[in-house]
Amino acid sequence: MKILGLMSGTSLDGIDLALCNINEQGYKVLAAETVPYLAEWKQRLSTLEKASAYEYALANVELGHLFGRTINRFLEGKERPEAIASHGHTIFHQPHLGLTTQIGDGDAIAAETGLPVVFNFRTLDVALGGQGAPLVPIGDELLFGEYDACLNLGGIANISFRYEAGGRRSERVAFDICPCNMALNRLAAILGYPFDKGGSNARSGEVHTCLLHDLDALEYYAAEGPKSLGKEWFVGQFWPLVKDFLGVVPSLSHTRDALATVTSHIAIQIARVVERQQIKTLLVTGGGAWNSYLLEMIGKYCTEVQMTVPDPGIVNYKEALIFALLGYLRLTEKVNTLASVTGAKFDSIGGNIAGLIKN
């Protein structure tokens, strides 16, 4: 089935689009592109959790129309897909309250494109008592199962893997490890950059052991999975520690030190998981895979693991590709959300469908 996958991540890098031929046996990415957000939308999305109910509802609809128009431009001169699978953009994620929201109205996308749209993938799993995240592991299992584990270095670093238990292969499990580009990009912005290219600023800084200790001691890291992180946790628990370290007016050197310290923190948290699960082969994707300093630090702490960074199309568009797969599974009424990953009562077939499906 030809499906367009759309992903908008917490790091606000832009709208990832991947046009794919896909089923549960394999895939081919036909075309892919990242469309950066205009500054207005970047600001709007970064502060929407503090907005009024009216502003939130309006943003949901307007972002859906923006997604639809972006898809139309992307598809110019290309063969049209049979459907669109849109992750949307997460604003609230508090599964312990039964709450997760991804904006970018599916009906607005369908109205703009004239195509059926699968969206709102997470809410059924949360209603079933799950974390609603991560959703990508079923794609890891079906499309990238030759690796012991798949690590995504996106706005949040997350991992999925199978492990040996009592001599038998377990079900696939996954969870969010720690903030990644969400933290690094915010620090880079203080220096005037959209991101820390290659980790060059972090490389020039010094690790501060007190900040590193405080970050490593956050309660989330001691919790057993299934577990997931949202922006609320980052803003409420992680960033205040970094902000206190930076002071009222962050200096150039202090900000670089914060980048170095946070990069070490990310590497340490990933290494703890990799070593605990005895992972030997690791597929690394997401924007952080281009951060050579971060990869060096992960390698420093994970001396026994073989890391593979695949071709740029998979690094940059793996999540959009897998959401195309999730859309395919939803449309063919096959499980696309694993309870072993999220902690829900049951596996489920998540996603709402907007627009008419023509047989």
Side-chain angles (χ1 to χ4, degrees):
M1 182 180 287
K2 191 179 276 81
I3 297 184
L4 186 146
L6 183 150
M7 178 71 195
S8 175
T10 51
S11 58
L12 284 171
D13 291 337
I15 304 166
D16 291 340
L17 305 160
L19 180 62
C20 310
N21 269 330
I22 198 158
N23 56 42
E24 61 264 48
Q25 279 79 46
Y27 68 92
K28 183 177 182 181
V29 178
L30 304 174
E33 182 181 347
T34 297
V35 180
Y37 280 113
L38 295 176
E40 172 195 347
W41 267 107
K42 211 166 186 178
Q43 173 64 23
R44 192 175 180 185
L45 292 173
S46 68
T47 58
L48 194 59
E49 75 274 8
K50 302 174 185 176
S52 68
Y54 171 81
E55 291 169 321
Y56 173 87
L58 184 62
N60 177 45
V61 173
E62 291 184 345
L63 187 63
H65 284 287
L66 175 65
F67 284 164
R69 293 191 299 270
T70 302
I71 290 167
N72 287 339
R73 287 192 293 271
F74 171 73
L75 289 175
E76 289 177 3
K78 301 179 181 71
E79 187 176 346
R80 287 173 68 78
E82 297 167 63
I84 294 163
S86 174
H87 169 268
H89 188 85
T90 299
I91 301 299
F92 300 110
H93 185 69
Q94 298 183 45
H96 63 287
L97 299 178
L99 171 67
T100 187
T101 64
Q102 288 72 45
I103 67 168
D105 180 49
D107 286 308
I109 301 172
E112 291 283 354
T113 62
L115 293 167
V117 179
V118 186
F119 69 111
N120 209 22
F121 282 94
R122 299 185 186 274
T123 54
L124 175 59
D125 183 80
V126 170
L128 287 168
Q131 292 287 306
L135 294 184
V136 167
I138 193 166
D140 293 341
E141 178 73 14
L142 296 175
L143 304 181
F144 302 101
E146 67 268 30
Y147 297 94
D148 289 347
C150 294
L151 174 68
N152 176 58
L153 299 175
I156 293 168
N158 51 59
I159 194 167
S160 79
F161 53 88
R162 281 179 174 263
Y163 63 91
E164 296 289 337
R168 300 171 59 187
R169 290 198 78 191
S170 75
E171 296 176 305
R172 181 164 286 267
V173 297
F175 51 86
D176 289 339
I177 299 175
C178 62
C180 187
N181 296 333
M182 181 186 290
L184 298 177
N185 290 0
R186 182 175 282 208
L187 286 165
I190 296 172
L191 299 175
Y193 303 106
F195 58 93
D196 187 17
K197 187 174 181 179
S200 59
N201 284 289
R203 189 188 298 275
S204 66
E206 294 183 6
V207 174
H208 280 243
T209 55
C210 289
L211 174 60
L212 182 62
H213 175 271
D214 289 345
L215 293 174
D216 287 339
L218 284 166
E219 187 176 347
Y220 175 84
Y221 301 128
E224 296 294 326
K227 59 182 182 177
S228 60
L229 290 169
K231 185 179 178 182
E232 299 96 321
W233 181 89
F234 172 77
V235 171
Q237 297 192 42
F238 188 97
W239 186 251
L241 298 176
V242 179
K243 189 175 179 181
D244 287 347
F245 172 80
L246 290 171
V248 178
V249 182
S251 66
L252 179 66
S253 62
H254 227 44
T255 304
R256 286 175 171 165
D257 291 349
L259 275 165
T261 305
V262 170
T263 300
S264 289
H265 167 72
I266 295 166
I268 288 168
Q269 293 305 321
I270 290 169
R272 286 179 178 177
V273 176
V274 167
E275 290 176 1
R276 186 164 61 244
Q277 302 302 330
Q278 300 181 335
I279 291 164
K280 300 301 182 185
T281 58
L282 184 66
L283 180 71
V284 183
T285 59
W290 303 126
N291 186 327
S292 55
Y293 181 65
L294 174 58
L295 292 190
E296 284 176 28
M297 294 304 293
I298 295 172
K300 174 184 175 181
Y301 292 107
C302 300
T303 55
E304 300 299 319
V305 70
Q306 178 184 339
M307 290 189 291
T308 299
V309 177
D311 68 77
I314 300 303
V315 171
N316 294 331
Y317 300 106
K318 176 170 172 274
E319 287 190 295
L321 160 67
I322 291 181
F323 271 94
L325 173 64
L326 295 178
Y328 164 81
L329 294 171
R330 172 65 182 89
L331 293 169
T332 54
E333 299 184 357
K334 297 173 183 175
V335 167
N336 64 2
T337 310
L338 299 173
S340 62
V341 169
T342 67
K345 297 175 185 175
F346 313 106
D347 290 347
S348 61
I349 305 172
N352 301 139
I353 300 175
L356 296 176
I357 297 176
K358 298 178 182 179
N359 295 320

